Amino acid sequence: MAERKKVLVLGAGYAGLQTVSKLQKQLSEEEAQITLINKNDYHYESTWLHEASAGTISYEDLLYPVESVLKSHVNFVRAEVTKIDRNAKKVETTNGVFDFDILVVALGFESETFGINGMKEYAFQIENVHTAREISRHIEDKFANYAASKEKNDKDLAILVGGAGFTGVEFLGELTDRVPELSSKYGVDQSKVKITCVEAAPKMLPMFSDELVNHAVSYLEERGVEFKVGTPIVAANEKGFVVKVNDEEQQLEANTVVWAAGVRGSQLMEKSFEGVKRGRIVTNQDLTIDGYDDIFVIGDVSAFIPEGEERPLPTTAQIAMQQGEHTAKNIKHILNGEPTENFKYVDRGTVCSLGSRDGVGVVYGREITGKKAAFMKRVIDTRAVFKIGGMGLAFKKGKF
């Protein structure tokens, strides 16, 4: 009898957990020894972090135990990966060293500040469950502090958001849902709350048409958000952001400062592989990397460039999950002695929520806004849970 192959998956985000979810159905215990390594014993829906950060949902709503979706023949190890030795086929972790025959690297993302001075020190990052809890608590603390103090500090009711990409705009939408609730709870005049979004690029939400962007801007502006688009942030400090306007620096002040303008792949990628940029490595068409047909790299650490194109696909949950599904299929091919298949991304659409009641998006080529977009966003979020954990988990954690 042939020796069981060791399949090692690093990371239990969308890409890694989807890989394991499919693998455990395709492979028996006799065919492969599957091990999943993740630094937390839970998976969290990273596309919901903006909601937990604003406080419109609890942080508990977006996470569930990794082992709750694993079959008995999958070995789960809670550990942080510290080194990948691709030639020795070993992975070092805070909980031991693991050999592999086939490796799936799905290590996830980190916040990227693009070297802006003070951003790491003075601004919150929408990065994980812990940062989401911190931001939500901080925002409420500032409202409570304003209400309780005799000397009212208007900066307690000022919120600065850096970035008007997907995460930034979705966070702004949730803030416009949360602010009325906090104002009512603490007896604060809502008109005194000031939410300002700063974006360096000339256009926000670059993946969408002008019509969709205009809808998003109008909706958020009507709810009190001020946009400063085409305004670079040159620094963050204890007062807020320093921005450049007409070649002159200006200080924007607020007691809540949130950076939502960039992500990069895990820094471990630079230490483990050559040719890595911002934590991402260009993969082959079958999602392996050059020179290593037994190492797959997917999700936020993958830079997959479709055949005939010049730029890699963006790092989205939809792409990560499709990559995970495809990687499981290719691992099955390898174990069967069959050739791997090239990855083909199917774009089913993208929806950006603007709080719970509105949104903008493109679904199967059609532009949608308003309640229809908000509904589709809930469908997409629930489907992601269902794809990994099945009907039971979707019923428990989904958005219906």
Side-chain angles (χ1 to χ4, degrees):
M1 185 176 173
E3 188 181 346
R4 280 194 310 163
K5 295 291 185 185
K6 294 177 180 177
V7 179
L8 190 58
V9 180
L10 310 181
Y14 291 112
L17 202 54
Q18 179 72 332
T19 303
V20 174
S21 174
K22 294 299 177 186
L23 271 181
Q24 65 185 4
K25 295 171 186 171
Q26 296 172 8
L27 300 175
S28 67
E29 193 169 0
E30 290 72 35
E31 289 177 281
Q33 179 185 321
I34 305 167
T35 302
L36 172 62
I37 298 176
N38 195 58
K39 64 181 176 183
N40 302 311
D41 58 5
Y42 55 84
H43 164 89
Y44 62 90
E45 299 291 308
S46 58
T47 57
W48 305 5
L49 283 173
H50 61 282
E51 296 170 83
S53 297
T56 51
I57 65 173
S58 162
Y59 77 94
E60 293 168 319
D61 293 334
L62 56 83
L63 54 83
Y64 54 84
V66 170
E67 291 187 283
S68 69
V69 296
L70 301 182
K71 292 185 181 293
S72 58
H73 65 283
V74 175
N75 179 34
F76 173 66
V77 178
R78 182 181 180 183
E80 191 159 353
V81 178
T82 54
K83 184 180 179 183
I84 300 170
D85 190 331
R86 59 192 191 277
N87 295 314
K89 292 196 166 192
K90 291 183 184 296
V91 170
E92 295 179 15
T93 77
T94 52
N95 195 10
V97 180
F98 297 84
D99 301 326
F100 65 84
D101 296 300
I102 299 172
L103 179 67
V104 180
V105 184
L107 286 170
F109 73 91
E110 300 172 5
S111 180
E112 170 67 278
T113 60
F114 305 107
I116 297 173
N117 188 40
M119 193 61 78
K120 279 281 188 192
E121 294 76 20
Y122 295 106
F124 289 104
Q125 326 282 315
I126 299 179
E127 199 167 25
N128 53 46
V129 173
H130 300 295
T131 61
R133 290 182 74 184
E134 286 176 1
I135 296 168
S136 173
R137 285 173 174 171
H138 176 86
I139 291 170
E140 180 154 2
D141 285 348
K142 291 303 166 190
F143 272 76
N145 189 59
Y146 181 89
S149 63
K150 291 179 181 176
E151 304 82 22
K152 304 295 184 190
N153 183 355
D154 288 344
K155 295 188 193 70
D156 281 341
L157 301 181
I159 302 171
L160 278 174
V161 178
F166 217 84
T167 302
V169 170
E170 290 201 314
F171 178 58
L172 291 169
E174 297 302 319
L175 283 177
T176 64
D177 279 359
R178 184 87 196 282
V179 162
E181 176 199 318
L182 288 175
S183 299
S184 174
K185 181 176 180 179
Y186 292 102
V188 168
D189 180 355
Q190 192 179 323
S191 66
K192 289 187 172 293
V193 179
K194 186 179 181 185
I195 303 171
T196 307
C197 177
V198 186
E199 170 57 56
K203 179 188 173 184
M204 54 187 272
L205 294 176
M207 72 290 291
F208 290 141
S209 69
D210 289 345
E211 288 78 12
L212 291 180
V213 172
N214 290 339
H215 177 93
V217 171
S218 297
Y219 181 87
L220 294 171
E221 283 183 340
E222 284 171 13
R223 284 152 184 79
V225 178
E226 180 188 351
F227 287 96
K228 294 183 181 292
V229 179
T231 307
I233 300 171
V234 296
N237 55 31
E238 66 278 358
K239 293 181 180 178
F241 289 147
V242 178
V243 300
K244 188 166 278 191
V245 180
N246 298 326
D247 291 329
E248 287 189 12
E249 291 189 358
Q250 293 181 7
Q251 176 75 56
L252 303 180
E253 297 189 10
N255 283 349
T256 300
V257 181
V258 180
W259 174 249
V263 295
R264 51 157 288 139
S266 166
Q267 295 199 31
L268 191 66
M269 293 299 292
E270 277 93 344
K271 299 172 187 172
S272 306
F273 304 99
E274 286 88 32
V276 176
K277 291 181 180 176
R278 288 181 59 202
R280 301 175 72 190
I281 188 171
V282 175
T283 66
N284 298 320
Q285 292 301 303
D286 65 352
L287 302 177
T288 59
I289 56 173
D290 274 347
Y292 299 88
D293 57 9
D294 49 10
I295 298 180
F296 294 87
V297 179
I298 58 177
D300 295 312
V301 291
S302 163
F304 175 80
I305 304 172
E307 229 163 349
E309 297 188 22
E310 295 180 1
R311 294 180 62 81
L313 294 176
T315 53
T316 70
Q318 182 182 183
I319 294 168
M321 292 183 74
Q322 287 187 33
Q323 288 182 330
E325 200 163 339
H326 190 81
T327 297
K329 188 195 297 183
N330 272 343
I331 291 172
K332 176 76 169 169
H333 284 322
I334 291 172
L335 296 180
N336 290 344
E338 300 162 354
T340 56
E341 297 176 37
N342 288 348
F343 174 64
K344 296 281 191 296
Y345 169 56
V346 180
D347 186 0
R348 298 188 176 94
T350 305
V351 179
C352 176
S353 63
L354 303 171
S356 60
R357 294 178 293 277
D358 210 298
V360 293
V362 179
V363 178
Y364 290 111
R366 291 184 58 189
E367 292 191 349
I368 57 173
T369 60
K371 291 180 180 177
K372 189 181 288 185
F375 175 79
M376 279 307 302
K377 183 69 172 182
R378 290 195 292 275
V379 170
I380 291 165
D381 287 348
T382 304
R383 183 176 181 271
V385 178
F386 170 77
K387 288 280 285 180
I388 289 174
M391 187 61 75
L393 191 65
F395 182 79
K396 187 178 178 183
K397 289 290 182 179
K399 293 193 172 177
F400 290 99

